[in-house]
Amino acid sequence: MNLHVPEPHFEDGRIGAFDARTAPIFLPSAVGGYMPALPGTLVDRMPPALGRAAVPSASAVALSRGFVVAAPGARGRTLQAADGRWTGKAPAAIVDLKAAVRWLRHNVGRLPGNAERIISNGASAGGALSALLGATAASTSTAAERPPSVG
């Protein structure tokens, strides 16, 4: 996961109404087509279409407004283990995003941001996963699917 923190938050500063303790956490889902997704960056990976101006990424806008950006990666449908098992098939992507939220909540007080105000965002498959993340917030049904390194 890539963690991006507004610079003023390092010096007890504020951006708008937010400081390092109160800033919402913006959790973008970079999953597209249920393919594997690398942890997100502040720069869009695709260049703008010919004749169009570059638009700031949603993560860059969130950071500029004082949000902490926690951009996780996720497994996708094309990932296969050396033994041939499909390791990225459903529900792997949502399990990975839920693991990112658990990690953020586990590290309250060690990381900037308000883990009670996590805003998930995505488009296409990433949007569907964001909706599932919110709809299953209290569910533990994916606990058996967790990757071995996630508590």
Side-chain angles (χ1 to χ4, degrees):
M1 176 168 3
N2 287 333
L3 190 67
H4 306 279
V5 180
E7 189 174 345
H9 293 350
F10 288 105
E11 300 165 358
D12 295 327
R14 301 178 78 79
I15 295 181
F18 305 123
D19 61 22
R21 185 182 50 78
T22 63
I25 298 173
F26 184 73
L27 188 88
S29 172
V31 173
Y34 299 98
M35 303 296 273
L38 295 172
T41 66
L42 298 177
V43 178
D44 283 332
R45 289 190 170 94
M46 297 296 293
L50 190 60
R52 297 207 175 226
V55 176
S57 71
S59 293
V61 171
L63 189 70
S64 74
R65 303 251 166 88
F67 292 32
V68 171
V69 176
R75 291 173 289 168
R77 63 187 171 101
T78 58
L79 292 181
Q80 222 175 346
D83 65 3
R85 286 180 303 114
W86 294 97
T87 58
K89 66 182 182 177
I94 188 65
V95 168
D96 292 349
L97 294 178
K98 288 175 77 75
V101 170
R102 277 193 311 278
W103 184 82
L104 289 166
R105 290 180 180 273
H106 179 76
N107 286 288
V108 166
R110 293 184 208 147
L111 298 171
N114 181 351
E116 295 300 316
R117 297 200 62 205
I118 297 174
I119 301 162
S120 182
N121 173 269
S124 191
L129 289 167
S130 288
L132 283 170
L133 188 62
T136 63
S139 172
T140 58
S141 65
T142 58
E145 299 289 334
R146 290 182 192 159
S149 63
V150 176

